[in-house]
Every structure is written in structure tokens, then in C-alpha cells.
Amino acid sequence: MAFQEPLMGKAQPSYTFSIIYNTRTQLPVAMSGNPHPRTRLNNELQNIYGSSAQDHVRWEIYSQGPPNALIWHATIYIDDMNYGYASSRTVACAQDDAAETAYNYLKREKSSRR
């Protein structure tokens, strides 16, 4: 492979991208328009517990199956109560699904108090 000189005097290729921010939280939003499930759950927990939110959360994550076909299991506990469980082929998807379940449970719980 030969060394190439930079394109002097010629137009350089340019790349642009944009980050979409949630107007309420000023946090980046996923391309679907919704914040990432774990981010959304974290934001809700911050609203409830403030800066000590992480002291109230515990994850239990493990895998089962042969190495070429692992299934990951994720359970999220908030104040030692099971708020969400999910299984998936990847750790991230299992955590995201469990976080989404926990977020929905928290929102239902919050709306029933009103």
C-alpha cells in the first residue's frame, strides 16, 4: 500500500452528525427518540432518591448454557425488591429489558399514589 499525500487545495470530505437532547433532562436521546432504558430508569431513580439512587439499586446478572449459545439473565432490585427481570442473548439486552420493566413498574407505582 502506497503512502498518499493529503488532498492539497481540493475539497476534503466532511462528516456531520447531530446529537438529539431531551429538552427536559438535557441528556442525549437514542435515535428512536426515547432515552436508553437504563438511562431513563436512572433518571427516574434520581428523581426519587436524589444523589443516593445507586445505594438503592442492585443488579444480579448471570449466564446459562453452552459457551456458543449463552443466555444472559438480569434482575434488578430496588430497595431489595425485585422490580424487573429479563433474559437475552446479550448482557446489555437483558439489562435493558429488565430496566425497562423496572421503569414501567415505578411509573405505575407513582401514578397509583396520586
Side-chain angles (χ1 to χ4, degrees):
M1 185 158 90
F3 175 76
Q4 289 185 331
E5 291 286 327
L7 300 173
M8 297 296 208
K10 295 186 179 179
Q12 297 289 326
S14 64
Y15 303 96
T16 60
F17 65 94
S18 54
I19 299 174
I20 302 168
Y21 288 90
N22 180 310
T23 55
R24 186 177 67 79
T25 63
Q26 295 303 308
L27 294 171
V29 174
M31 293 309 286
S32 66
N34 293 322
H36 190 273
R38 284 181 271 169
T39 301
R40 187 174 25 211
L41 176 62
N42 182 61
N43 292 342
E44 186 63 27
L45 292 169
Q46 291 285 330
N47 288 335
I48 296 169
Y49 298 111
S51 61
S52 68
Q54 293 307 311
D55 297 338
H56 297 267
V57 176
R58 180 172 55 92
W59 284 93
E60 185 176 280
I61 301 168
Y62 65 95
S63 63
Q64 283 184 313
N68 65 329
L70 286 176
I71 300 295
W72 289 90
H73 305 273
T75 306
I76 184 167
Y77 297 92
I78 301 171
D79 290 332
D80 294 325
M81 290 180 56
N82 182 337
Y83 270 71
Y85 168 82
S87 299
S88 181
R89 294 292 309 253
T90 66
V91 175
C93 286
Q95 282 186 291
D96 290 347
D97 292 347
E100 187 71 31
T101 302
Y103 174 79
N104 291 334
Y105 189 86
L106 282 173
K107 292 305 269 184
R108 280 192 309 270
E109 202 175 63
K110 190 176 181 180
S111 67
S112 68
R113 286 188 218 145
R114 292 181 183 179

